[in-house]
Amino acid sequence: VTVDGNVDMDVYGNGVTVTGDNSTVTLKKGGSITVPTGTKYGDYALAAYDGTINMNVEATANAVKIDGDIFALKGATVNLGLATNDSYLNGIIDNGGTANLTLKNGATWTNLANNTRYGQDNEDYGNGEQSKVTLLTGGDSLAQAGTIIQTANSKPLEIVKLSGAVHVKYYHDASDPTSILGGYVEIAKATQGSNICLITNGGFDTANEEL
């Protein structure tokens, strides 16, 4: 299935799902996808159980607004491009297969789960309800980077490979400014020249490291 234009989805359940062998859904541009929050069930904005979901994979100037978690089962793939300053993902990337994300030009990703799962959700084997990105592609420079936001309730984030520049924003305890809140970000490998800039909600840089 290929959608040439923007999508506008407000769904009770999953937004886009692939479950068939070699099935592919491609959303060529952007738009918005919203699914329920605060539930004890795996409602996902993008859910790949078997097959591939592509959304704005060319990372062109299409606004992509996703309110909901992303899920990929082993053997399945999600490719997502957030490439404008009004593009965002509010949710985790629970990835047991392949999940590739482009995050640049001021786009934001708030790494915070929208829902929890109950025990009978035994088909949803991802990364233990924690985010894992197979390939994170940032901007060409820090000026063109996107931002990952780790809130006080964000769990750790695993990045298998980083290419390009990205900001990671943490919050700190207002009563104890030296106490940084939110789970760690672990990068297994980075291409030469990649950059990560760590900041807090106080606005000051804590580290700016070229990898």
Side-chain angles (χ1 to χ4, degrees):
V1 175
T2 300
V3 179
D4 289 323
N6 292 326
V7 298
D8 183 8
M9 304 173 66
D10 192 346
V11 182
Y12 187 80
N14 289 337
V16 177
T17 305
V18 289
T19 58
D21 187 27
N22 296 319
S23 58
T24 301
V25 173
T26 298
L27 311 178
K28 284 190 172 182
K29 294 185 179 180
S32 63
I33 301 175
T34 302
V35 297
T37 61
T39 71
K40 294 183 178 180
Y41 191 78
D43 292 318
Y44 307 108
L46 304 175
Y49 291 92
D50 190 3
T52 300
I53 298 174
N54 301 310
M55 186 171 187
N56 195 38
V57 291
E58 299 297 326
T60 51
N62 300 302
V64 177
K65 302 178 180 182
I66 297 180
D67 291 286
D69 300 328
I70 291 174
F71 177 81
L73 194 65
K74 182 179 179 180
T77 300
V78 175
N79 299 307
L80 175 63
L82 306 177
T84 64
N85 61 8
D86 55 350
S87 292
Y88 63 80
L89 165 62
N90 291 331
I92 61 172
I93 300 177
D94 189 357
N95 168 34
T98 300
N100 300 316
L101 174 65
T102 297
L103 186 71
K104 63 182 183 179
N105 297 333
T108 57
W109 170 24
T110 301
N111 179 38
L112 183 64
N114 288 280
N115 301 304
T116 58
R117 297 192 207 111
Y118 71 126
Q120 287 79 359
D121 247 349
N122 55 11
E123 76 276 18
D124 289 6
Y125 291 117
N127 191 48
E129 298 184 65
Q130 293 185 183
S131 288
K132 178 180 179 181
V133 179
T134 309
L135 172 62
L136 176 61
T137 303
D140 292 336
S141 66
L142 286 172
Q144 297 170 305
T147 301
I148 300 168
I149 299 172
Q150 291 285 93
T151 74
N153 296 316
S154 294
K155 293 182 178 180
L157 162 61
E158 179 183 355
I159 299 170
V160 179
K161 184 177 181 180
L162 171 67
S163 176
V166 66
H167 300 282
V168 179
K169 181 179 180 179
Y170 277 94
Y171 287 80
H172 58 71
D173 189 337
S175 62
D176 181 12
T178 63
S179 178
I180 303 299
L181 306 176
Y184 62 80
V185 175
E186 180 180 283
I187 301 170
K189 184 167 66 173
T191 60
Q192 186 174 2
S194 295
N195 266 281
I196 182 167
C197 179
L198 304 179
I199 59 176
T200 76
N201 61 323
F204 57 89
D205 289 0
T206 58
N208 181 3
E209 185 71 25
E210 182 171 304
L211 303 174

